[in-house]
Amino acid sequence: MFAHTSPFRPPPQFSRAVVVPLRKPTADSSVLIEAARAGVRRFYEPGFQLKKAGVILLDLSSSSVHQAELELGGHDSKDQTQLMMTVDKLNRRFGRGAVSVGGTGMGQKGDWSPKQMRLTPQYTTKLSDIPVARA
């Protein structure tokens, strides 16, 4: 994950990145969100106006690949595959973002959400944005 301020603004500048390794491959949104939050806690400093921040996923693998691991106890090893499949199915049926993990705040419009006042028309994916010429 990464975050940085605008290079065109006067100092102070901020540019940081961190890699948060996962113990084993997962498609569990709650595990991925917790890893992202842990990464932000490691590098964030208040007082900067961030221009850009993001999460990059590395070493993706198919769900058919299983990585064996010796369970020595003390770790929560609940398999939430069925839960994640149900969330994905509901989001496909009712639209993206219909169901999300509660701690993410994704269902709320807040100061973090992107400004879309000057959103580029989506000519190739949205019929209502296609220009019509009348003579």
Side-chain angles (χ1 to χ4, degrees):
M1 66 185 17
F2 65 92
H4 62 82
T5 57
S6 172
F8 304 107
R9 289 196 171 216
Q13 295 292 323
F14 178 92
S15 180
R16 304 258 170 80
V18 65
V19 175
V20 180
L22 299 176
R23 286 180 35 130
K24 57 184 176 180
T26 184
D28 186 346
S29 298
S30 61
V31 173
L32 297 173
I33 290 167
E34 187 52 42
R37 292 177 69 186
V40 169
R41 283 191 294 269
R42 283 174 43 192
F43 75 71
Y44 178 74
E45 289 181 28
F48 293 96
Q49 284 190 324
L50 298 178
K51 175 189 178 235
K52 190 173 191 178
V55 174
I56 299 171
L57 302 175
L58 304 171
D59 297 330
L60 299 177
S61 62
S62 170
S63 61
S64 63
V65 175
H66 179 70
Q67 178 177 332
E69 178 178 40
L70 180 61
E71 296 286 339
L72 297 175
H75 298 290
D76 185 40
S77 61
K78 288 190 287 185
D79 182 20
Q80 297 194 11
T81 304
Q82 285 297 115
L83 173 64
M84 291 297 110
M85 288 173 56
T86 303
V87 168
D88 291 342
K89 186 176 179 180
L90 288 169
N91 282 329
R92 277 193 300 274
R93 181 174 178 186
F94 296 109
R96 182 178 176 200
V99 179
S100 64
V101 177
T104 61
M106 296 298 289
Q108 308 163 5
K109 288 288 183 185
D111 291 337
W112 61 268
S113 62
K115 308 292 185 266
Q116 296 187 346
M117 295 175 286
R118 298 184 187 129
L119 187 63
T120 305
Q122 300 168 350
Y123 302 124
T124 59
T125 59
K126 196 172 178 185
L127 286 175
S128 63
D129 284 351
I130 296 176
V132 177
R134 301 193 194 282

